[in-house]
Amino acid sequence: MERTVGGAMITSRPHSRLIGHFLLVLGLIVVVFPIYYVFVASTHSLETILKPPLPLLPGGDFIANYREAFYGGIGRIGGVGVGTLLLNTTIMALGIALGKIVISIMSAYAIVFFRFPLRLVFFWIIFITLMLPIEVRILPTYKVMVDLNLIDTYAGLIVPLIASATATLLFRQFFMTVPNELIEAARIDGAGPWRFFKDILLPLSRTNIAALFVILFIYGWTQYLWPLLVTNSNSMNTIVIALRKMISFADADTQWHLVMVTCVLAILPPVLVVVLMQRWFVRGLVESEK
Amino acid sequence: MNRATFPHKLLPYLLLAPQLAVTLIFFYWPAGQALKQSLLREDPFGLKTQFVGLANFKRVLADPAYVNSIKVTVVFSLATAFISMAIALLLAVQAEKIIRGKTLYRTLLIWPYAVAPAIAGMLWLFMFNPSFGTLAYPLRSMGINWDPLLNGPQAMILIVAAAAWKQISYNFLFFVAGLQAIPQTLIEAAAIDGARAARRFRTIVFPLLAPITFFLLVINTVYALFDTFGIIHAVTAGGPGKSTETLVYKVYNDGFVNLILGDSAAQSVILMAIVIALTALQFRYIERRVHYG
């Protein structure tokens, strides 16, 4: 409360706030315009798109373009429709988000609530993976995928990306703040590790899980290098990789209106997740990475 | 603190097993292979291998193309981090100043966070592509010979714009959190002493934001080094010439396209060293932060 009063005392000059709004609106234009503009382009015909400048308002081909993208199949990527691409990407993003949450919550639980030989060794083994992003071990990881027959499979898209130190560290940090009394009380009541986990720890972790889910869903949805390597067939592509295949700035037969529809559909789901779960997302982001 | 725990012999290992399995198979084994490969020389068909010590590293570091890609990476990372952080800080300061509409601004400003880097690149190339980009049109009519597909520096400008644009959201959220953590009393005291807004920002707000700015600098560098692969692959493919070939793109290109395994592995190991250095830097900073509260 004091904040607002204090803040108002200092910045009460209206013209300073006006400049603030002006700059923010300018920033918004820079930030939102590219996305808005792709939406506009997705509602125009190919001919209109190829004749600059493109109108600033949506055109009349919304239904025709979206129907073609969903049901007509897209020639450049072997006739695969946008529906398949969205499905693939959703499976990948959900698989990564849920998989990461499950395996990190399990290992954090083991590390914090049990004492066993080699506990710290295991913690460090997980912790060091922070320093091994996929980009630094591309080729050998690819070889492992080939040996395990995981090319062009959902497991291949998901499993190698679900191990991460960040989620484990986050849960570990949170678990360490759980008071000892809770565990002792649970044990006196005869609750075993599973009951304690299910009835006490999991409900306490709800907000952390929600925040992490948003961050990891976006992470999974926006992956590029990994799906590029482990998918060959067009029908296993994620939507981002398919977009790359659909576009050629050099030659003339790129179907830009369909590219634009695909672009909008590739942007929309993660934006919705971020905007609708904004409260958890912002908290989780700022807290988990600090 | 002495933690209360559950007495159990087998359970903790079972709980750790899935993560350890994935980590060992997909992190440690391949990273070890990269290390091993970086010391070997193998022909593209994998028929002959021989141990060559540090020869791969020597060759890679002496290669003008590699030196070029170091330069490209430094320019790209610094420009991306600086532009994106400067815009985000400006917007965060404005957002703290205003009273109405904060949530609305924030809701819209976080959109790019959800956009894949590769798509960010495509959006910018769509707007600025030389043949029908709506925003390339005014550039051309101003007499600028705009063609990022053929002109190296222009290609660099385009990918920096796309990479910085995508990162504004992230930096904005952290700067807002940083600004909110500054005690209001400090700023009021300065105001009473007669310091105007610009001076208050320069002498109080900005120094107090230093830890978060440093943290963001590390994060943005890591982002520019690794997460922007999609932008470069989708927009310029390292070209024109090699003017946008960053270190990560070169690892991919040498390994997967040109099939020079030893060189690619040596480059991977160099990248690993960079990540380890950056991570160490970040953790040192976290320790210091605890100091300053």
Side-chain angles (χ1 to χ4, degrees):
Chain A
M1 275 302 102
E2 223 176 59
R3 265 197 71 73
T4 4
V5 177
M9 183 191 87
I10 291 173
T11 59
S12 60
R13 272 171 308 173
H15 78 264
S16 149
R17 285 209 300 275
L18 207 64
I19 295 172
H21 282 288
F22 174 74
L23 288 172
L24 279 166
V25 169
L26 217 62
L28 275 190
I29 292 173
V30 172
V31 164
V32 176
F33 183 77
I35 298 174
Y36 169 76
Y37 207 50
V38 160
F39 170 72
V40 169
S42 78
T43 63
H44 283 284
S45 66
L46 183 57
E47 292 73 41
T48 321
I49 295 174
L50 290 178
K51 257 197 317 234
L54 187 70
L56 281 171
L57 292 174
D61 293 294
F62 178 88
I63 293 171
N65 287 352
Y66 281 75
R67 180 182 291 149
E68 193 183 342
F70 269 103
Y71 300 108
I74 294 164
R76 264 199 116 97
I77 50 168
V80 175
V82 184
T84 312
L85 301 175
L86 280 173
L87 181 73
N88 290 345
T89 320
T90 309
I91 291 175
M92 182 181 177
L94 283 179
I96 290 175
L98 299 177
K100 265 195 187 198
I101 289 172
V102 169
I103 72 166
S104 346
I105 211 168
M106 278 165 62
S107 44
Y109 185 56
I111 286 171
V112 175
F113 291 103
F114 294 87
R115 287 291 170 273
F116 52 96
L118 299 180
R119 193 176 67 98
L120 282 178
V121 174
F122 289 135
F123 173 69
W124 277 97
I125 288 180
I126 295 170
F127 182 74
I128 287 175
T129 56
L130 265 186
M131 302 171 200
L132 297 171
I134 194 85
E135 287 81 0
V136 309
R137 50 190 167 85
I138 313 176
L139 260 179
T141 315
Y142 179 77
K143 276 208 179 112
V144 172
M145 302 304 287
V146 175
D147 292 343
L148 296 177
N149 274 325
L150 287 174
I151 302 295
D152 276 335
T153 62
Y154 287 121
L157 281 170
I158 296 166
V159 177
L161 297 181
I162 63 174
S164 99
T166 30
T168 312
L169 286 176
L170 184 75
F171 280 122
R172 174 180 167 270
Q173 226 173 337
F174 171 68
F175 287 169
M176 296 209 308
T177 64
V178 173
N180 272 339
E181 288 76 14
L182 268 181
I183 304 147
E184 277 151 11
R187 284 179 61 182
I188 289 167
D189 288 347
W194 168 243
R195 276 288 298 278
F196 174 72
F197 179 75
K198 180 172 67 93
D199 292 342
I200 297 173
L201 212 54
L202 215 51
L204 283 177
S205 318
R206 255 200 322 245
T207 28
N208 286 54
I209 294 176
L212 209 54
F213 175 81
V214 183
I215 294 170
L216 296 177
F217 182 84
I218 305 298
Y219 167 84
W221 189 279
T222 58
Q223 281 302 308
Y224 189 86
L225 181 57
W226 192 244
L228 179 73
L229 297 183
V230 298
T231 60
N232 293 326
S233 98
N234 286 319
S235 58
M236 278 305 290
N237 278 161
T238 62
I239 197 162
V240 184
I241 299 300
L243 259 174
R244 170 68 186 82
K245 288 190 183 171
M246 285 160 68
I247 291 180
S248 163
F249 285 92
D251 70 49
D253 64 330
T254 304
Q255 293 174 295
W256 285 103
H257 56 303
L258 298 183
V259 169
M260 291 301 133
V261 172
T262 314
C263 239
V264 170
L265 293 170
I267 293 172
L268 202 60
V271 165
L272 278 179
V273 168
V274 162
V275 168
L276 294 178
M277 295 180 74
Q278 194 179 153
R279 206 152 49 90
W280 294 283
F281 159 67
V282 173
R283 246 200 59 195
L285 185 75
V286 175
E287 273 171 19
S288 70
E289 306 235 12
K290 252 207 248 186
Chain B
M1 179 178 74
N2 228 339
R3 187 142 246 327
T5 53
F6 290 103
H8 233 285
K9 287 215 154 49
L10 192 62
L11 188 59
Y13 294 103
L14 290 177
L15 288 169
L16 276 167
Q19 174 140 29
L20 286 177
V22 175
T23 305
L24 292 175
I25 297 172
F26 297 107
F27 282 73
Y28 284 94
W29 172 254
Q33 290 294 307
L35 273 173
K36 192 181 114 191
Q37 197 84 58
S38 70
L39 303 173
L40 300 174
R41 188 81 190 142
E42 190 177 329
D43 62 273
F45 307 103
L47 300 175
K48 266 194 304 187
T49 352
Q50 96 190 84
F51 180 80
V52 290
L54 295 177
N56 289 331
F57 290 92
K58 270 185 204 145
R59 200 181 36 255
V60 162
L61 289 172
D63 181 3
Y66 194 72
V67 176
N68 168 63
S69 96
I70 293 177
K71 279 185 202 149
V72 167
T73 308
V74 169
V75 170
F76 174 69
S77 308
L78 286 183
T80 301
F82 178 77
I83 292 173
S84 160
M85 285 169 68
I87 294 177
L89 179 58
L90 177 74
L91 294 177
V93 170
Q94 307 312 316
E96 271 299 279
K97 206 160 71 177
I98 62 167
I99 291 163
R100 242 176 273 192
K102 271 186 195 180
T103 322
L104 179 68
Y105 285 122
R106 190 182 76 180
T107 303
L108 290 169
L109 283 173
I110 60 177
W111 282 32
Y113 178 84
V115 177
I119 293 185
M122 294 177 207
L123 296 185
W124 281 78
L125 185 50
F126 175 66
M127 295 188 300
F128 283 99
N129 100 73
S131 56
F132 58 87
T134 301
L135 297 180
Y137 192 66
L139 288 177
R140 294 205 143 197
S141 55
M142 278 191 296
I144 300 168
N145 189 12
W146 173 258
D147 192 346
L149 299 175
L150 293 176
N151 179 315
Q154 289 179 2
M156 180 59 98
I157 292 174
L158 192 70
I159 58 169
V160 165
W165 173 80
K166 189 192 144 37
Q167 199 66 355
I168 289 176
S169 312
Y170 187 94
N171 295 334
F172 174 77
L173 290 174
F174 274 87
F175 276 131
V176 167
L179 286 169
Q180 281 172 352
I182 293 175
Q184 201 62 27
T185 44
L186 278 180
I187 297 172
E188 278 166 21
I192 290 167
D193 286 347
R196 285 180 181 278
R199 195 183 153 94
R200 289 199 301 267
F201 181 80
R202 195 163 44 84
T203 56
I204 296 173
V205 177
F206 192 67
L208 285 174
L209 279 180
I212 220 158
T213 309
F214 182 68
F215 164 81
L216 285 177
L217 194 63
V218 175
I219 293 285
N220 280 281
T221 311
V222 173
Y223 160 81
L225 275 173
F226 298 105
D227 298 346
T228 52
F229 173 83
I231 297 183
I232 293 163
H233 186 263
V235 174
T236 65
K242 290 192 176 303
S243 55
T244 57
E245 189 176 70
T246 57
L247 290 170
V248 169
Y249 191 81
K250 194 165 163 48
V251 172
Y252 164 83
N253 207 35
D254 284 357
F256 274 89
V257 185
N258 302 332
L259 297 174
I260 320 170
L261 304 184
D263 285 14
S264 177
Q267 294 178 34
S268 288
V269 173
I270 296 173
L271 276 179
M272 262 187 240
I274 296 176
V275 185
I276 290 171
L278 283 170
T279 314
L281 200 69
Q282 194 182 326
F283 276 90
R284 262 196 67 162
Y285 142 78
I286 285 178
E287 265 168 38
R288 254 201 4 196
R289 219 179 65 87
V290 174
H291 242 3
Y292 294 174

